[in-house]
Amino acid sequence: MATTRSAHTVWDGNLTEGTGVVAFDSSGTGRQPVTWPSRAEEASGRTSPEELLAAAHSSCFSMALAHALTEAGTPPTQLVTSADVTFQPGEGITGVHLTVEGTVAGVDGDVFTAAAEDAKANCPVSQALSGTPIALSAKLV
């Protein structure tokens, strides 16, 4: 069954001096302030589209990798994934770097890296970002 998740943003003012609030409608888990400076300069306690994309990508990738490892008979004990999304004003999003450290019994580094590469290529967020370079660093701990 298909699912749809929703969020909305209310933006007041122009791009550089305005402010917005992103609300997570589907989950009801809260609202986050967003501004141009939080996107192009320092976060200063506010989020950005790139941070939200990094959260989506790191969680999607983790789920895909956990599924692949479980299907292979070696479910992970823990996966710690970070996603760094680079934004260049005037160019847009120029790349993503995923970093994953896994605790997985019964696999070696090569098997883990291969599973991570597959998850990177096939998680839905990676596929949605197919026009963006995505790098991966994967290691067992």
Side-chain angles (χ1 to χ4, degrees):
M1 173 155 84
T3 59
T4 301
R5 300 293 181 253
S6 301
H8 78 274
T9 300
V10 175
W11 187 266
D12 296 313
N14 67 27
L15 173 62
T16 58
E17 297 168 8
T19 61
V21 176
V22 178
F24 303 108
D25 299 332
S26 301
S27 64
T29 57
R31 302 159 52 97
Q32 291 293 318
V34 61
T35 64
W36 175 255
S38 69
R39 184 177 198 183
E41 298 166 19
E42 293 297 319
S44 299
R46 296 180 183 96
T47 195
S48 68
E50 291 72 28
E51 183 177 44
L52 297 169
L53 186 57
H57 205 175
S58 66
S59 59
C60 182
F61 170 86
S62 294
M63 290 179 195
L65 181 54
H67 177 68
L69 291 166
T70 300
E71 289 291 305
T74 54
T77 301
Q78 185 176 60
L79 301 171
V80 177
T81 305
S82 63
D84 298 313
V85 176
T86 302
F87 173 74
Q88 179 63 47
E91 290 182 47
I93 295 171
T94 58
V96 177
H97 187 202
L98 296 169
T99 303
V100 62
E101 293 184 354
T103 304
V104 186
V107 299
D108 64 21
D110 291 339
V111 169
F112 182 70
T113 298
E117 287 287 349
D118 185 65
K120 178 189 92 168
N122 293 303
C123 92
V125 173
S126 288
Q127 291 177 348
L129 296 172
S130 62
T132 301
I134 301 171
L136 174 68
S137 300
K139 72 176 185 175
L140 290 170
V141 291

